[in-house]
Amino acid sequence: MKNYENVTIFNHPLIQHKIAMLRSKDTGMKDFRELIEEITALMTFECLKDVPTRQVMVTTPLERTEQTIVIENSVAVIPVLRAGLGMVNGVHMLFPTAKVGHIGMYRDEETLEPKEYYCKLPDGIEDKIAIILDPMLATGGSAVAAIDLLKKQGVSDIRLMNIIAAPVGVETVATAHPDVKVFIACLDRQLNENGYILPGLGDAGDRLFGTK
Ligand code: PRP
Ligand code: URA
């Protein structure tokens, strides 16, 4: 896959270790959920390294000092239902005041086209950093549709966080929306004939919520 300026692929050993556990079919629902949250928190550290800040005065036991804090209402997260829900706590661990919007989307099993069924976004989202959360980037159809939707709402700073991605999904998003910063924990090999990522981790929504 070619290099895209706005695509960050982590390849960090601490993240790779957690992804190895996440992939295993022997990892149960509780551990799966916790691993998704932990990986998301590690990714958030990088994704929000340019979050807006302001200066405040703090009094230590010894003196008054000027310090940097984040601007609390500057971030919103938008999990793509269902699997994106599993990533919300991971962002909240580091940025507890992030507002949460929801986009409901599922892939048609035959065509793999995304079908939108729900959308509720926080007021004022157009002025915030909006981070779309979805553990899986397969064909890229769902991510492109979610970004299209946010752009129609007037959001200009859109970021996408995926834990596992297929090369075709990255290429589709980076081509359709070159301005969107994409953060991927791990780039996998390919899709299978049913649109599942290989080696992947299976169906993220089913593994998070125990539906199969
Ligand atoms: C999965 C995943 C993404 C989408 C990725 O959701 O969570 O939203 O597929 O595939 P794409 O890149 O080919 O669009 P799914 O449709 O299985 O819905 P679910 O989370 O409700 O199970
Ligand atoms: N959605 C998933 O949950 N897993 C995949 O491998 C592809 C899409």
Side-chain angles (χ1 to χ4, degrees), residues 107 136 138 195-197 200-205:
R107 292 198 309 178
M136 310 305 280
Y196 276 81
I197 301 173
L201 50 71
D203 188 301

Side-chain angles (χ1 to χ4, degrees), residues 7-194:
V7 176
T8 301
I9 299 173
F10 282 77
N11 289 334
H12 189 292
L14 295 182
I15 293 181
Q16 284 168 335
H17 180 92
K18 290 183 191 298
I19 289 178
M21 294 190 281
L22 195 65
R23 291 187 194 279
S24 169
K25 67 179 177 44
D26 297 325
T27 298
M29 195 167 78
K30 176 175 181 286
D31 288 340
F32 190 88
R33 187 168 59 234
E34 287 173 2
L35 286 162
I36 292 267
E37 287 178 10
E38 289 165 5
I39 294 165
T40 305
L42 292 169
M43 296 175 76
T44 301
F45 194 71
E46 175 72 16
C47 175
L48 286 180
K49 70 179 180 195
D50 59 348
V51 72
T53 58
R54 65 188 173 92
Q55 299 305 112
V56 294
M57 294 304 293
V58 171
T59 307
T60 79
L62 300 176
E63 64 177 17
R64 268 173 76 71
T65 169
E66 190 175 85
Q67 295 291 302
T68 303
I69 62 169
V70 298
I71 296 181
E72 293 197 337
N73 62 2
S74 55
V75 175
V77 290
I78 301 93
V80 177
L81 308 180
R82 295 172 301 164
L85 287 175
M87 299 174 74
V88 174
N89 283 348
V91 177
H92 276 160
M93 280 182 208
L94 296 193
F95 205 102
T97 55
K99 299 280 194 292
V100 185
H102 296 87
I103 295 178
M105 234 173 242
Y106 69 90
R107 292 198 309 178
D108 182 286
E109 283 181 12
E110 297 292 312
T111 65
L112 301 182
E113 287 294 315
K115 305 279 179 207
E116 186 195 325
Y117 60 88
Y118 185 77
C119 181
K120 177 80 180 168
L121 301 172
D123 286 348
I125 192 167
E126 59 280 2
D127 301 322
K128 300 185 194 301
I129 297 173
I131 312 175
I132 298 171
L133 303 176
D134 195 330
M136 310 305 280
L137 181 65
T139 65
S142 305
V144 167
I147 295 166
D148 284 343
L149 199 153
L150 290 183
K151 284 190 174 174
K152 275 196 200 120
Q153 298 293 318
V155 185
S156 58
D157 189 340
I158 303 174
R159 305 177 186 195
L160 172 67
M161 212 193 277
N162 305 115
I163 294 182
I164 293 188
V168 65
V170 179
E171 279 160 4
T172 299
V173 171
T175 305
H177 295 291
D179 55 308
V180 170
K181 293 195 178 106
V182 183
F183 297 86
I184 291 162
C186 185
L187 184 67
D188 270 11
R189 196 175 71 245
Q190 66 185 86
L191 297 182
N192 72 8
E193 60 283 6
N194 299 317

